[in-house]
């Protein structure tokens, strides 16, 4: 019987940009796992000559985070059994997590794929090694590798520290008509808001629980990308924003129930 894996979503309770490094943005953020919202992933036999990924994706195979994770894994551990397994099996993905929504679906898929191969092929890679591989794919991947229910994430995503959080029940809203391009959002932030950094507030937020944070701070203050999203995608104003917080680079909004 095939083994089916869950690839969960996340929200960012807060996301503060605190600097830049080699063209990347350094951040301090609270990531919270949304375990009830997940994609499902499993392998099925394949007779192809290459690694195939089957799912509702908007990109070509080589741009897919799963394929990038496959390449990064081979670069780190160039074993023939990895190549042979991925030729003989296709990666099946049933998508539930909305795309370009700030919920980390692509990063979660990449992390889950790495953990699946590590498990199935008994590669013996530690979580730290998998996180190191995943960091080459995307900034959010290490968080999903570790699988913490909540964590403070810093640097360019490579520093993940488990946080014993108090998270209220969360309601999500993802507009059907808005897809946020992460690169464009960060580009807009750097062009218009890079001088508004608040590292002291970021450090303070990292010590508080999600419940405390949501009860004491307005949405626009908690996510430095919120202003950039509103500037890049003014159609957001057509939705009722009062009391809703932005996750990641959008477009998902959330609040405590």
């Amino acid at each position: 019987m095939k083994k089916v894996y869950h690839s969960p979503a996340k929200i960012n309770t807060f996301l503060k940009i605190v600097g830049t490094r080699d063209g990347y943005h350094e951040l301090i953020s609270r990531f919270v796992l949304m375990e009830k919202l997940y994609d499902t992933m499993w392998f099925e036999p394949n007779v192809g000559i290459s690694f195939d990924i089957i799912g509702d994706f908007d990109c070509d195979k080589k741009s897919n985070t799963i394929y990038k994770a496959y390449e990064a894994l081979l670069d780190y551990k160039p074993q023939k059994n990895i190549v042979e397994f991925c030729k003989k099996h296709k990666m099946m993905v049933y998508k539930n997590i909305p795309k370009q929504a700030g919920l980390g679906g692509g990063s979660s898929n990449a992390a889950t794929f790495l953990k699946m191969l590590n498990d199935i092929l008994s590669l013996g890679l530690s979580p730290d090694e998998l996180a190191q591989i995943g960091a080459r794919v995307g900034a959010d991947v290490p968080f999903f590798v570790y699988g913490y229910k909540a964590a403070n994430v810093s640097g360019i995503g490579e520093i993940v520290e488990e946080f014993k959080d108090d998270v209220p029940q969360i309601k999500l809203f993802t507009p059907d008509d808005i897809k946020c391009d992460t690169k464009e959002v960060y580009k807009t932030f750097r062009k218009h808001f890079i001088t508004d950094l608040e590292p002291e507030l970021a450090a303070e937020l990292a010590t508080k629980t999600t419940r405390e944070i949501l009860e004491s701070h307005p949405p626009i203050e908690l996510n430095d990308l919120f202003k950039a999203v509103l500037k890049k995608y003014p159609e957001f104003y057509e939705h009722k924003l009062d009391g809703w917080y932005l996750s990641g680079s959008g477009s998902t909004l959330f609040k405590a129930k």
Side-chain angles (χ1 to χ4, degrees):
M1 180 181 292
K2 68 189 178 188
K3 184 173 181 180
V4 176
Y5 289 72
H6 288 182
S7 178
K10 61 82 181 166
I11 60 168
N12 301 81
T13 301
F14 71 91
L15 191 159
K16 304 297 287 183
I17 309 296
V18 295
T20 58
R21 185 207 313 170
D22 301 327
Y24 294 93
H25 294 80
E26 292 191 305
L27 56 82
I28 298 178
S29 181
R30 173 73 47 73
F31 283 48
V32 175
L33 212 59
M34 293 284 102
E35 296 178 280
K36 293 182 179 180
L37 175 60
Y38 55 85
D39 298 336
T40 49
M41 299 174 60
W42 68 96
F43 286 109
E44 288 189 357
N46 194 21
V47 294
I49 59 173
S50 63
F51 177 39
D52 292 328
I53 303 167
I54 310 300
D56 181 18
F57 297 104
D58 296 331
C59 60
D60 61 76
K61 182 173 75 173
K62 291 193 175 182
S63 298
N64 191 296
T65 55
I66 296 171
Y67 193 82
K68 290 179 179 179
Y70 169 67
E71 291 185 312
L73 176 61
L74 282 178
D75 188 54
Y76 184 85
K77 199 173 184 71
Q79 291 185 187
K80 186 177 180 181
N81 64 328
I82 297 173
V83 177
E84 290 301 314
F85 180 87
C86 289
K87 282 183 179 179
K88 294 177 181 178
H89 297 84
K90 51 191 173 183
M91 180 79 261
M92 308 295 295
V93 185
Y94 183 81
K95 297 292 294 181
N96 285 307
I97 302 172
K99 304 165 192 172
Q100 294 183 302
L103 295 172
S107 296
S108 180
N109 291 168
T112 302
F113 167 76
L114 290 172
K115 292 195 283 189
M116 290 171 73
L117 279 188
N118 194 45
D119 180 16
I120 293 167
L121 298 179
S122 300
L123 298 178
L125 295 169
S126 68
D128 287 345
E129 288 178 295
L130 291 174
Q132 180 183 338
I133 296 166
R136 298 178 56 185
V137 179
D140 293 352
V141 179
F143 167 74
F144 289 109
V145 164
Y146 288 112
Y148 299 137
K149 292 184 182 296
N152 285 331
V153 177
S154 57
I156 54 175
E158 80 280 14
I159 303 171
V160 181
E161 301 171 300
E162 185 176 14
F163 187 89
K164 299 301 183 183
D165 210 344
D166 176 18
V167 183
Q169 281 194 304
I170 297 294
K171 181 178 181 179
L172 301 176
F173 168 60
T174 305
D176 293 331
D177 57 334
I178 305 173
K179 306 293 183 186
C180 292
D181 186 308
T182 297
K183 288 183 179 179
E184 289 300 315
V185 170
Y186 273 98
K187 189 184 297 182
T188 303
F189 173 81
R190 182 172 286 214
K191 182 177 180 180
H192 297 282
F193 305 108
I194 193 66
T195 59
D196 301 336
L197 304 185
E198 300 175 301
E200 295 83 7
L201 176 58
E204 176 192 336
L205 292 171
T207 68
K208 295 183 175 182
T209 68
T210 287
R211 186 181 299 275
E212 290 171 335
I213 290 167
L214 298 185
E215 288 176 351
S216 59
H217 295 273
I220 205 73
E221 187 176 81
L222 289 184
N223 189 334
D224 283 346
L225 299 178
F226 209 159
K227 291 179 181 178
V229 166
L230 293 174
K231 189 170 188 65
K232 181 66 181 178
Y233 302 97
E235 55 268 37
F236 251 108
Y237 287 108
E238 297 175 14
H239 299 280
K240 185 174 174 61
L241 298 176
D242 294 345
W244 289 90
Y245 296 80
L246 182 75
S247 178
S249 57
S251 58
T252 294
L253 300 162
F254 70 92
K255 65 180 178 180
K257 287 185 179 178

